[in-house]
Each structure stands twice: as C-alpha cells, then as structure tokens.
Amino acid sequence: MKAQFILPFLCALPMMANAAIPYRVEQIKTPVAQTPSGLDNEAYARTRRFYVGGMYNFAMWQDYTDDNNIEIRGKNTHSFEGFAGLRIYDTFRMELNYLRTNAEYNDLSLTGDTFFVNAIFDARIDNIYRIFRSQMIVPYVGAGAGLSWNSADDGVRLDKKISPVAAALAGISVEFSSIFALDFGYRYFYMFAPGTDVIEKLNPSSHQFRVGARISF
C-alpha cells in the first residue's frame, strides 16, 4: 500500500468500527399480571363461587283489617324453601330463592309458588384485615323482590293469579368450613294485593323465621 493512503485509512478505522456495532434496542418490559395474593375482596368468592341450600320456614301471618272494618286473623304456618346463589365478592352475593307460600287466615287460605331474587350483604371481615381467612360467625342483611303464582280456597275468587312480592332479610351463618354452613335467619314477607272477594285490598304479610343449611362449591 502506498504511503499516501496509510494516513487516510487509519483515520477511517474508528468510523468503520462504529458502523460494525449493531444498534441496541432498549427493551421495555410490559407489566406482568399479578397473581391474587389471597388478601383481596374476592379471596373466598373465587374458591367458593356458587352455593345451594334449603330451609325450613315458620311464618306468623299478620292480622288484616280492610276499609270496611272487616278483620281477618292470621295463623302460623310452616313450609320449606330452596335457593341457589352466586358470590360476587366475599361480602356480597346474589341469590335465587323458591318458597312455597302458605298464607292462612280464619276465613281464607292462599297458597303460592313464590320466587325471589335476593341481594345479600355478608358482614365478613375483609381478608386483608384478618390473620386467618376463615370466619365462623357471619351476620348478613339483604332484600329481595319477586313474583308469586297464587291460588285460594274453593269458593274464594282471586283477581290476580300473579302478585309481586318483597322481602327484607337478616340472619347469621355459622360456617363450619368453606363448604358447609348453617343459616339462622329472619325475613319480613310482603305480598302486594292479589285481590279477593272475601276482604278488600288484602296484602298478606308475615314474620318468618328460617333455619337451614348451605353447601358451597
């Protein structure tokens, strides 16, 4: 190589070396989805999302007096009911409830197939605040609304075969495990007037005391 080309060649070496180094692409890591720690508000609901159960129902039907001072006196009855529920959070669940209604008075008797949709709030201590995930005694309150398909004694006419119903709930669940629990509850039951020819504007209502069992899965 001729001497006059040596100096330019040496000057060009650093540039050639830089050109040979590949560009480094900065990698930006995307956030990694975090696995729930078991301390969130669905820690129990995730493992036991659904439940089913049944209850014995003792009902005390309330006396009623219409605008013409005609009075009928309520009696005490008993029946059974079933329910299926979905836990949305540890402290909130939705429940579909079937009840065989049996409203008895001294002058008439109403029976019905009654369906409720209940919204129930459990007084469960949030997992983040407790050392253990289990809580044996769980008070609850709730409200329900639905429809009742009714029939009456022979000779009693009903204006409406289907009546709206409403309820207020309260009680205590005793959870022996995450799967099995006993329920002890109270429900105020109210039926909007089905309309009878025996007494005007009858709105059957009762104080109901319930006991039953629930299985979660």
Side-chain angles (χ1 to χ4, degrees):
M1 182 180 295
K2 295 183 179 180
Q4 61 267 30
F5 296 108
I6 294 176
L7 184 59
F9 177 75
L10 292 176
C11 293
L13 278 177
M15 292 185 293
M16 295 170 61
N18 288 334
I21 298 175
Y23 288 104
R24 295 171 57 190
V25 178
E26 183 179 359
Q27 296 182 353
I28 301 175
K29 295 182 179 180
T30 57
V32 178
Q34 295 182 352
T35 303
S37 63
L39 300 177
D40 59 291
N41 59 3
E42 291 184 65
Y44 177 54
R46 270 194 310 276
T47 57
R48 297 286 181 255
R49 185 69 73 180
F50 303 98
Y51 63 89
V52 294
M55 281 191 161
Y56 167 78
N57 181 6
F58 178 78
M60 302 170 62
W61 294 94
Q62 304 301 291
D63 301 342
Y64 183 81
T65 304
D66 69 3
D67 296 338
N68 299 319
N69 289 324
I70 298 176
E71 182 182 18
I72 56 174
R73 301 188 67 83
K75 298 181 179 181
N76 299 335
T77 65
H78 62 88
S79 61
F80 294 92
E81 58 186 278
F83 54 85
L86 167 68
R87 287 189 184 87
I88 300 175
Y89 298 105
D90 286 3
T91 54
F92 179 71
R93 51 193 166 101
M94 298 294 296
E95 187 177 277
L96 178 63
N97 183 200
Y98 166 75
L99 166 67
R100 180 64 176 174
T101 302
N102 185 18
E104 291 190 5
Y105 299 88
N106 56 338
D107 289 331
L108 67 95
S109 177
L110 296 175
T111 58
D113 294 309
T114 306
F115 291 88
F116 281 104
V117 175
N118 300 318
I120 300 173
F121 294 88
D122 289 321
R124 190 185 302 279
I125 301 172
D126 201 352
N127 286 295
I128 198 170
Y129 298 117
R130 53 188 156 122
I131 300 174
F132 303 104
R133 233 181 73 181
S134 61
Q135 179 183 341
M136 190 171 184
I137 306 298
V138 183
Y140 64 85
V141 295
L147 295 172
S148 184
W149 283 257
N150 302 314
S151 60
D153 291 336
D154 293 339
V156 177
R157 178 180 56 82
L158 287 180
D159 293 335
K160 301 175 184 177
K161 296 292 184 181
I162 303 176
S163 296
V165 291
L169 311 168
I172 293 176
S173 296
V174 182
E175 297 184 350
F176 293 95
S177 70
S178 64
I179 297 176
F180 179 75
L182 292 180
D183 277 343
F184 302 90
Y186 164 82
R187 174 173 58 206
Y188 178 74
F189 175 95
Y190 184 89
M191 180 185 296
F192 293 87
T196 72
D197 55 357
V198 175
I199 189 166
E200 295 181 2
K201 301 178 182 178
L202 172 64
N203 297 299
S205 63
S206 65
H207 300 289
Q208 301 180 350
F209 300 90
R210 311 156 71 217
V211 59
R214 185 176 72 233
I215 297 175
S216 303
F217 56 93

